[in-house]
Amino acid sequence: MAVRLNVNGRTVQVNAPADKPLLWVLREDLGLIGTKFGCGQGLCGACTVHLDGQAVRGCQTPLGSVGAAKVTTIEAVAQKPVGRRVSAAWIAADVPQCGYCQAGQIMSATALLAQTPKPSDDEIDAAMAGNLCRCATYNRIRAAIRAAASA
């Protein structure tokens, strides 16, 4: 089935079944490999992308449900000021270790800050709760989000 999508500000067409997860459409059909596969069950957050600014799990979002929503991936997150602030704060706080979860972490953090520019620690924790980090850089992640919020 041919489907038109708005991905990172561009209109693209993919030929894929409606039940194919958005994660695999992005990676396999569009070559956008920054969005990672983690658990495949929406539990780890590695596959987080934005649909109309909302953080969603790409592995659990069927292509057929995307419709006219604007999809933003890690490849384009820094095109907006909040994405640039988060990316800069991530580097300044030396957040990544292995780096595998970082695309999803950054996508969740930017969605949070776009909706709540000055989040409390509780709001940060709630927004980031679905993103797992095997390297346990949670304190640095929270510090980077605080820094991006105050930049």
Side-chain angles (χ1 to χ4, degrees), residues 44 97-98 100-102 105 131-138:
C44 73
Q97 283 189 19
C98 81
Y100 197 84
C101 70
Q102 295 308 303
Q105 300 277 1
N131 291 82
L132 302 180
C133 176
R134 291 182 63 184
C135 302
T137 63
Y138 300 112

Side-chain angles (χ1 to χ4, degrees), residues 39-101:
C39 67
Q41 298 178 8
L43 303 173
C44 73
C47 65
T48 303
V49 296
H50 295 172
L51 281 185
D52 286 338
Q54 298 294 315
V56 300
R57 302 300 187 244
C59 73
Q60 296 294 297
T61 304
L63 174 61
S65 72
V66 175
K70 293 178 181 175
V71 178
T72 305
T73 69
I74 190 68
E75 287 87 354
V77 76
Q79 290 177 358
K80 294 188 177 179
V82 69
R84 285 190 293 276
R85 287 195 319 267
V86 169
S87 296
W90 236 248
I91 293 166
D94 198 23
V95 173
Q97 283 189 19
C98 81
Y100 197 84
C101 70

